Amino acid sequence: MSRKATVVAPSNIALIKYWGTSDLERTLPFNPSLSMTLRECVTRTTVEPISDQKDEVLVGATGGGLEPASPAFSAGVEAHLEHLRSWAGVTERFRVATQNSFPMGAGMASSASGFAALALAIAAALEREISAETASVLARESGSGSAARSVMGGYVEWPSAATEGVAAQVLPADHWDLRDVIAILDTTEKRVSSRAGHKLAETSPYFKPRLQQLPERLAEVRSSLQSRDFARLAPVVEEEAIDLHLIAMSSRPPIFYWRPGTLIVLEVVRAMRESGVEVCATMDAGANVHLICTPEAETAVVEALEVLPEVEGVIRDGVGSGPREIDEPLF
Ligand code: PMV
């Protein structure tokens, strides 16, 4: 028995990053990461069993409605569907439609929210009650490690200290209403995928020293989140983001994700913090900068970004409570 199901799953921003894969096949990281689940940047996915021999993949079109996905996008979805079918022991084919709340081509990664939404929607369509832990494993097995964290709300660690490969919520969303103001600096597709970056990480001479520093950094982020201590959190989050890019830039061959605007925004953030604004910066494998701040600082942060010519757009987001099934299908 299967039915039509629609799930909304959030993106997340890592405060301690996953960079480098110890087991590429199973998408297992060298180090635990810790992220904040977002509220506004989400993927909505509807799945429905069909009698065809082949899955059908549709995406939200720019002008509204749905359109067939590109061959590369369809291939990624179909590969994950194949994996989910073998997990569930079924052979059904599906029509899948997926839409991001953030503009496509805004340089925002959607693999975490996309693969989390797909895994949860298929489980719902097949009427399988799954735990958040199982959802985390299924999402991660798409090949996107950060998807493991997008199945839970609040502040999420993956893998958690107690489990092999499974994420766990460290603190709920209502523990601390942190905001994420995203400065869009580059709307082109990134030249080197994060998968390729994970593979190259170990070639950096700074990778081993990074792994040695991470337990202390992770403990500091966890504890400053627990005590809602922004002054302690901010420098560690920034140090960690720069460390990821240091590893990327010193990999062989090197990967440069930053654009000139990235440095300009980093300087603005530093100056604001020195003048007492509770804000710090972090970046994923791309040029865009996520400005993590308190609710009191959000307006000043948005205003500071809006006057910079390098900033092509600003997305206002904040900590969210995780995925949910909804009754608003895309088709
Ligand atoms: O989820 P992936 O395999 O695309 O890797 C994501 C890696 C970073 O976004 C750079 C860091 C992280 O932990 O999210």
Side-chain angles (χ1 to χ4, degrees):
M1 269 294 286
S2 51
R3 62 177 173 90
K4 192 172 187 173
T6 302
V7 166
V8 173
S11 184
N12 67 77
I13 178 69
L15 306 178
I16 295 289
K17 310 286 183 183
Y18 151 51
W19 198 243
T21 313
S22 63
D23 182 337
L24 197 66
E25 280 308 300
R26 297 171 63 216
T27 322
L28 287 174
F30 274 109
N31 66 278
S33 51
L34 197 161
S35 59
M36 164 173 150
T37 298
L38 298 181
R39 188 171 54 218
E40 304 297 334
C41 289
V42 297
T43 299
R44 172 154 64 129
T45 296
T46 299
V47 301
E48 184 177 39
I50 49 174
S51 52
D52 297 20
Q53 296 299 306
K54 225 181 149 307
D55 299 308
E56 184 188 351
V57 185
L58 304 164
V59 290
T62 322
L66 296 169
E67 63 186 16
S70 69
F73 189 94
S74 293
V77 171
E78 284 164 29
H80 194 38
L81 281 173
E82 213 38 62
H83 183 77
L84 295 168
R85 271 191 282 269
S86 93
W87 161 76
V90 300
T91 54
E92 271 151 300
R93 305 283 140 177
F94 293 90
R95 176 173 298 122
V96 176
T98 187
Q99 188 170 49
N100 294 330
S101 64
F102 41 99
M104 290 288 264
M108 291 280 300
S110 56
S111 58
S113 52
F115 284 121
L118 183 61
L120 290 164
I122 292 291
L126 296 173
E127 310 270 13
R128 302 288 166 96
E129 292 277 334
I130 56 168
S131 64
E133 289 73 22
T134 302
S136 170
V137 174
L138 290 176
R140 178 198 94 212
E141 285 171 346
S142 64
S144 168
S146 55
R149 301 184 308 241
S150 267
V151 298
M152 296 170 193
Y155 300 88
V156 180
E157 203 169 310
W158 167 68
S160 77
T163 55
E164 211 226 19
V166 180
Q169 187 186 68
V170 188
L171 292 160
D174 62 8
H175 171 77
W176 196 6
D177 179 21
L178 284 179
R179 306 287 162 91
D180 178 11
V181 179
I182 308 164
I184 306 292
L185 297 159
D186 186 4
T187 52
T188 58
E189 198 166 316
K190 59 184 165 202
R191 276 154 293 195
V192 183
S193 68
S194 43
R195 193 170 173 81
H198 288 301
K199 268 202 236 177
L200 286 177
E202 265 188 291
T203 66
S204 163
Y206 307 109
F207 188 65
K208 280 212 179 82
R210 163 173 170 74
L211 290 184
Q212 281 160 8
Q213 286 164 5
L214 273 170
E216 199 182 316
R217 218 181 265 161
L218 175 66
E220 187 69 4
V221 166
R222 210 190 283 127
S223 121
S224 49
L225 284 173
Q226 262 151 6
S227 55
R228 300 185 197 90
D229 187 340
F230 200 88
R232 257 177 78 205
L233 180 72
V236 193
V237 166
E238 265 179 31
E239 179 184 305
E240 166 61 3
I242 289 163
D243 204 26
L244 182 157
H245 287 269
L246 169 80
I247 301 298
M249 289 180 202
S250 56
S251 293
R252 296 182 177 132
I255 316 169
F256 283 80
Y257 289 113
W258 289 8
R259 306 294 304 154
T262 311
L263 271 174
I264 291 169
V265 172
L266 286 177
E267 283 209 19
V268 167
V269 170
R270 205 154 290 188
M272 286 183 91
R273 198 158 67 248
E274 272 164 21
S275 71
V277 181
E278 290 189 312
V279 59
C280 65
T282 185
M283 295 83 68
D284 277 341
N288 300 330
V289 187
H290 293 246
L291 280 67
I292 309 298
C293 61
T294 55
E296 298 73 32
E298 186 181 357
T299 306
V301 168
V302 172
E303 284 170 0
L305 289 179
E306 277 174 349
V307 296
L308 298 175
E310 293 79 10
V311 175
E312 295 183 24
V314 173
I315 297 176
R316 296 166 82 131
D317 212 327
V319 65
S321 53
R324 62 192 191 281
E325 187 174 357
I326 59 167
D327 197 14
E328 291 157 55
L330 285 166
F331 59 85

